[in-house]
Amino acid sequence: MSANPVASRSVGIDFGTTNSVIAIAEHAQDAELVEFAAQGGAGSVFRSALCFWQDEAVRGGLAHEAGPWAISEFLEFPQGSRFLQSFKSVAANPAFEHATLFEKRLRFEELGQVFLKHLVGHSGHALREVPERVVVGRPVRYVGSRPDEALARKRYDAMFGLLGRTVHYVYEPIGAAFSFASRLTEPATLLVADFGGGTSDFSIVRVEAPGAARRCLPLGSAGIGIAGDRFDYRIMDHLVLPLLGKGGTYRSFDKVLEIPAGHFADFGDWSRLAMMRNRRTLEQLARLKHGATDPAAIDRMIAVVEHELGFGLYEAVGRLKRTLSAADHAAFRFESEALTIEAEVSRGEFESWIAPDLQRIGETVDGALAQAELRADEIDHVFLTGGSSLIPAVRGLFVERFGEERLASGNELTSIAHGLALIGQSPDLDEWTAGEPD
């Protein structure tokens, strides 16, 4: 990564909970997505995943890969590797100090630097010279009940400092707004709804006609730590975890008690689920199995942990969610040597599972409108982006408030990076950056 400035270019980096995307702009009219030549074919979407394994031939004894290469390494040797996904979700969590990977302890910023090295390395010639202007997306609100924004900023600074450039942080939906604005030829008031893996973010922007001194003016924003990962966990919680003992009981002396929910908390967080395969946890589960009313269920949970089945389970959950976005019914199927789960799920069931989350998302949209001091009928266009925007019940929230005719979508996974790169071309770049946290 060269330290020589390339003033005519800017790079937009959408570091996402589930996927990451890079775009490069050489002028203010358009940006090109960076493609990664993975084994399954070239593509612009890079999975936000890491895989670690022990290798004495590597300095430090710990080898690693990221993106689709990390998935390939894990699937080839799951018993001897550690797989991390959605680690962005702990950026603002002060309780997360490090991930223990074999004999190594890596802090968030160290995990981030490992990921960034591979992300840039797999970009080929595109980032051989890092542009002088680096624009990185950040959520309007980080994941967690009490997210520490100052801590997240410190961790992001350490992670992206690897690029050797001053980094400009911009709210992710503002990036998507710039991308959508490039389609518009008339002035308009735009609401952007960005549904990521960890957060759902909303920004309202006034877009002026092409050629205006300042094309976009932010009016209001709001965010909530509920998005695709939460929807996935709802499926896990209702469909999978009851088969692993959740809601069951165990005997303690002469009492029958409900199995504590804490035993299943790690199944909702990839940063912890991947760490469950350790001697202490397996010993605890063995003791729980001994006293369980249904020991076979605890046996299945042990199989998930011991055989590293979490990745496959969540892949099956994701397939179900995507299928239910297009069909009224879908089959959930997960099969391995240690565990098989089959079930039929209706879209109505799934929507009932995520109903509390949808209500809070709707309230957050209303909060963005209130901050902008606008009514719903004063919004000209609503741009939906991010994978979960394809869920019919999510789209329905916006149809109800704004009407079908004002909704637009497209480039759901790449619009943020595209817009961030365009923002990098702005003469008033500093005006778009998210300020220092309080």
Side-chain angles (χ1 to χ4, degrees), residues 369-397:
L369 287 168
Q371 188 185 98
E373 299 183 345
L374 292 171
R375 302 184 310 272
D377 61 5
E378 295 177 292
I379 301 295
D380 299 308
H381 302 283
V382 178
F383 180 49
L384 305 179
T385 189
S388 293
S389 67
L390 300 173
I391 295 174
V394 171
R395 186 178 179 89
L397 285 175

Side-chain angles (χ1 to χ4, degrees), residues 132-136 153 165-171 174 178 214 216 218 420 422-436:
E132 186 175 1
R133 286 191 163 193
V134 176
V135 184
V136 174
R153 175 61 177 267
R165 292 281 185 263
T166 298
V167 176
H168 304 269
Y169 299 103
V170 173
Y171 289 137
I174 293 293
F178 255 77
R214 186 172 184 185
C216 298
L420 293 174
L422 294 179
I423 290 173
Q425 295 287 313
S426 302
D428 56 351
L429 174 57
D430 288 340
E431 296 185 32
W432 288 105
T433 57
E436 291 285 350

Side-chain angles (χ1 to χ4, degrees), residues 5-52:
V6 184
S8 62
R9 300 165 73 231
S10 57
V11 59
I13 302 176
D14 176 17
F15 168 48
T17 303
T18 306
N19 299 300
S20 293
V21 181
I22 298 176
I24 295 176
E26 297 191 8
H27 50 77
Q29 282 68 50
D30 200 11
E32 294 292 330
L33 298 173
V34 171
E35 294 219 329
F36 306 94
Q39 293 177 350
S44 56
V45 178
F46 191 93
R47 192 74 167 265
S48 300
L50 286 165
C51 183
F52 295 85

Side-chain angles (χ1 to χ4, degrees), residues 326 357 403:
D357 304 317

Side-chain angles (χ1 to χ4, degrees), residues 81-102:
S81 59
R82 296 291 182 270
F83 185 79
L84 295 180
Q85 183 169 296
S86 299
F87 69 95
K88 175 187 172 181
S89 63
V90 298
N93 184 356
F96 179 85
E97 297 180 355
H98 58 257
T100 302
L101 302 159
F102 302 101

